[in-house]
Amino acid sequence: MTRRMSARLTARARGLAPLTGVLLLLVTFGLAVTVSGAVLASGHGGVSDGVPLRASLSLTVDGDELRLTHRGGDALDVTALRLVVTVDGDPLAHQPPVPFFSARGFHAGPTGPFNSASDPRWTAGETASVRVAGTNRPVLTTGEVVTVRVYTDDALVADASARTG
């Protein structure tokens, strides 16, 4: 091979190197997106890979309304949750069967993911609420501590407490 031909082949090979690198980067990125999407999509409201779900919730009590805000942690599938509400340690006679629209012991039309017409996926930043009916016992009165515990199966996911105002 002549020296001139050898120089042209080397220049072509060098010109293809950046293109090959970009293609490899795109393939790697595409695989990473696909795998992470599959992992996130496989999550549900219960236990993920043997690890119980955890979330941070805050509770606000305003009259008969209990507002729970998802502050962070795992996204929760409300259809897999069980709520237990206590007032000064005594459980309500009727617990909220989330999600629902109308249920014994509660006013119709809960908000956020607790409403059966809403998206049941509860993520950080979203607030869900229920209003306790006067027919439920114990009745909410000023100065009591309301606690809401959230379970999937028998695993505690989160709990939050607030004093009635």
Side-chain angles (χ1 to χ4, degrees), residues 67-101:
R67 285 189 303 269
L68 281 167
T69 301
H70 189 305
R71 295 288 179 202
D74 295 312
L76 304 173
D77 177 358
V78 177
T79 63
L81 298 182
R82 177 173 56 91
L83 271 58
V84 176
V85 180
T86 60
V87 180
D88 279 343
D90 296 324
L92 287 178
H94 305 286
Q95 297 294 331
V98 296
F100 72 97
F101 183 78

Side-chain angles (χ1 to χ4, degrees), residues 35-49:
V35 169
S36 64
V39 168
L40 290 174
S42 70
H44 58 9
V47 176
S48 178
D49 295 329

Side-chain angles (χ1 to χ4, degrees), residues 34-146:
T34 302
V35 169
S36 64
V39 168
L40 290 174
S42 70
H44 58 9
V47 176
S48 178
D49 295 329
V51 178
L53 296 176
R54 296 292 300 164
S56 174
L57 303 178
S58 64
L59 174 66
T60 304
V61 181
D62 185 12
D64 63 359
E65 184 179 35
L66 310 178
R67 285 189 303 269
L68 281 167
T69 301
H70 189 305
R71 295 288 179 202
D74 295 312
L76 304 173
D77 177 358
V78 177
T79 63
L81 298 182
R82 177 173 56 91
L83 271 58
V84 176
V85 180
T86 60
V87 180
D88 279 343
D90 296 324
L92 287 178
H94 305 286
Q95 297 294 331
V98 296
F100 72 97
F101 183 78
S102 181
R104 187 173 184 192
F106 295 89
H107 293 281
T111 66
F114 288 175
N115 188 303
S116 57
S118 295
D119 179 3
R121 185 172 160 83
W122 192 14
T123 59
E126 291 183 303
T127 298
S129 73
V130 297
R131 288 183 50 224
V132 181
T135 57
N136 210 336
R137 297 286 181 262
V139 174
L140 299 177
T141 57
T142 303
E144 296 173 315
V145 175
V146 176

